[in-house]
Amino acid sequence: MTTAREAPDILSPEFAMDPYQAYRVMLDTSPLLWHEPMQSYIISRYEDVTRAFREPVFTTSNYDWQLEPVHGRTMLQMSGRDHAVRRALVAPAFRGNVLENTFLPVIERNARELIDTFRDRGEVDLVSEFATHFPINVIVDMLGLNRDDHERFQRWYTSIIAFLGNLSQDPDIAEAGLRTRTELAEYMIPIIRERRENLGEDLLSTLCAAEVEGTTMSDEDIKAFVSLLLAAGGETTDKAVASLFRNLLDHPEQLAAVREDRSLIPRAFAETLRYTPPVHMIMRQPAEDVTLSGGTIPAGSTVTCLIGAANRDPRRFAEPDRFDIFREDLPTNTAFSAAANHLAFALGRHFCVGALLAKTEIEVAANQLLDAMPDLELAPGAASVEKGVFTRGPASLPIRFTPVR
């Protein structure tokens, strides 16, 4: 097994500037390494990361310290029947008729309202003026919460994501995350109790009323799920919207194809999830010793699974460093299910329950943005720089376009 000194340091400025160059080294020569500052083994190859997501020996016990302090206990930490029942309680709200009939209009309205603020201006920073706000506004409205609190939820969301990505253990970030847990609970618990007495058609009412095999969600369960939804549902869509358009702008011929044939949007989204995934790493903890490429990981260790590397493993994808919405080794019909070839939504029993919600949000956003900005291009002299290590996406995306009259 290699040592951390022989591989790029994922906490270094060089890695943050261009993790993909570091991933190539890891994939080729360091598929398994020990990172002392993080006290974690790091795996990067597609086969290994897939095993970590699918095989029951890889537990999510790491979430006891990684997620619970900021979210409370969520279904991500559960296994067996407890996990299956909790997932069954929330999953119906994110698929089928409920998604199509109840929440699709909410998604369409929020996209339209944000675009209305700049559609006549001819220029926009797609990150700060759209992508950052869109998914959080949708979640707040889906839950049936006060729309005047969008900015408050935006602040909480930012704090939670910073806590989850605090790989260097900055104490100020940790403290802010813990403070957010308290503030969110003080806000949500009274609303949850009131909603139980006055059920509506919103997501919060659905969660309050849900029952599977005699099990219902407690007030704390619902609050923890809302916190998780802000992080998982907000961050993936936020980064994905910006990354999708940046990738298309970098490949004008593919942008033109998508503009002319909107049925290609799911293909473009799937390839964006592979090529520039919003979440670059997820952790697991094996219950017993496990042998992977490069050596053996002891039971109880933290394992950092590099999604961003695995999605560019040449053992799995042809020309992995090329963005290609027409690639044949990434079928779109399974790209948003637990049978996906990319790993951006994880796999197995903890496959992202909101994958179809994310797909719907991206399709709505992309269609409305292309309608409003048919000749969009990167603003002259602008440079779109990716930022982030745990999660990653464009820090800004200045766009210029001719307003549609």
Side-chain angles (χ1 to χ4, degrees), residues 20 269-277 307-308 311-313 317-324 327 329-330 342-344:
Y20 299 105
F269 181 30
E271 175 65 346
T272 291
L273 290 173
R274 183 202 69 82
Y275 184 72
T276 49
I307 295 171
N311 274 352
R312 294 202 184 193
D313 190 340
F317 297 103
E319 298 184 75
D321 293 322
R322 177 171 59 90
F323 179 81
D324 181 9
R327 66 170 52 250
D329 49 9
L330 190 68
H342 67 83
L343 304 179

Side-chain angles (χ1 to χ4, degrees), residues 38-313:
M38 289 175 52
Q39 290 290 292
S40 175
Y41 288 88
I42 298 175
I43 60 175
S44 52
R45 289 185 179 172
Y46 185 92
E47 180 183 5
D48 294 334
V49 174
T50 298
R51 286 185 58 191
F53 289 160
R54 283 184 169 154
E55 295 183 6
V57 68
F58 288 93
T59 75
T60 55
S61 297
N62 53 287
Y63 288 150
D64 292 351
W65 56 265
Q66 189 183 13
L67 296 185
E68 188 165 344
V70 71
H71 288 316
R73 186 165 179 79
T74 72
M75 66 180 181
L76 292 182
Q77 297 161 257
M78 302 176 188
S79 59
R81 181 183 180 278
D82 286 344
H83 174 264
V85 170
R86 292 305 189 285
R87 189 176 179 94
L89 284 167
V90 303
F94 296 95
R95 65 187 183 214
N97 289 335
V98 177
L99 177 58
E100 182 73 20
N101 299 328
T102 305
F103 298 132
L104 177 58
V106 174
I107 296 167
E108 292 174 333
R109 182 183 69 239
N110 275 281
R112 183 173 59 253
E113 288 175 349
L114 285 169
I115 293 171
D116 282 346
T117 65
F118 60 78
R119 70 168 71 245
D120 295 327
R121 206 170 68 218
E123 60 182 14
V124 62
D125 184 334
L126 203 60
V127 173
S128 64
E129 297 183 70
F130 184 86
T132 301
H133 301 282
F134 175 55
I136 302 304
N137 291 2
V138 166
I139 290 169
V140 171
D141 285 6
M142 285 176 63
L143 290 165
L145 300 174
N146 191 335
R147 303 193 87 204
D148 291 339
D149 290 328
H150 279 172
E151 290 304 318
R152 180 184 298 191
F153 275 89
Q154 194 73 41
R155 175 169 54 82
W156 284 336
Y157 153 71
T158 302
S159 175
I160 292 169
I161 290 301
F163 182 95
L164 300 179
N166 189 20
L167 302 178
S168 61
Q169 298 301 303
D170 183 307
D172 292 335
I173 293 176
E175 181 182 355
L178 298 177
R179 187 167 59 249
T180 291
R181 173 176 172 169
T182 300
E183 292 176 0
L184 183 61
E186 291 173 348
Y187 176 95
M188 286 301 308
I189 295 297
I191 294 176
I192 292 168
R193 291 172 179 168
E194 187 278 333
R195 198 65 53 89
R196 288 190 189 278
E197 301 298 322
N198 300 280
L199 296 177
E201 299 297 321
D202 53 81
L203 176 57
L204 196 58
S205 297
T206 300
L207 298 176
C208 287
E211 180 176 345
V212 172
E213 298 179 9
T215 299
T216 59
M217 298 180 74
S218 69
D219 295 350
E220 176 61 28
D221 287 338
I222 295 173
K223 188 278 299 178
F225 181 75
V226 169
S227 181
L228 178 64
L229 184 61
L230 283 174
E235 187 72 352
T236 52
T237 307
D238 172 353
K239 299 290 191 291
V241 169
S243 294
L244 169 67
F245 275 89
R246 182 197 173 181
N247 289 335
L248 290 174
L249 286 164
D250 286 345
H251 300 82
E253 72 291 348
Q254 296 184 59
L255 172 59
V258 171
R259 184 188 293 117
E260 293 303 315
D261 181 1
R262 302 297 179 81
S263 70
L264 293 175
I265 290 174
R267 275 184 169 270
F269 181 30
E271 175 65 346
T272 291
L273 290 173
R274 183 202 69 82
Y275 184 72
T276 49
V279 179
H280 271 233
M281 55 188 73
I282 290 179
M283 295 179 181
R284 291 289 187 263
Q285 185 173 311
E288 55 190 61
D289 293 358
V290 179
T291 299
L292 299 174
S293 301
T296 299
I297 299 174
S301 303
T302 299
V303 181
T304 300
C305 309
L306 295 182
I307 295 171
N311 274 352
R312 294 202 184 193
D313 190 340

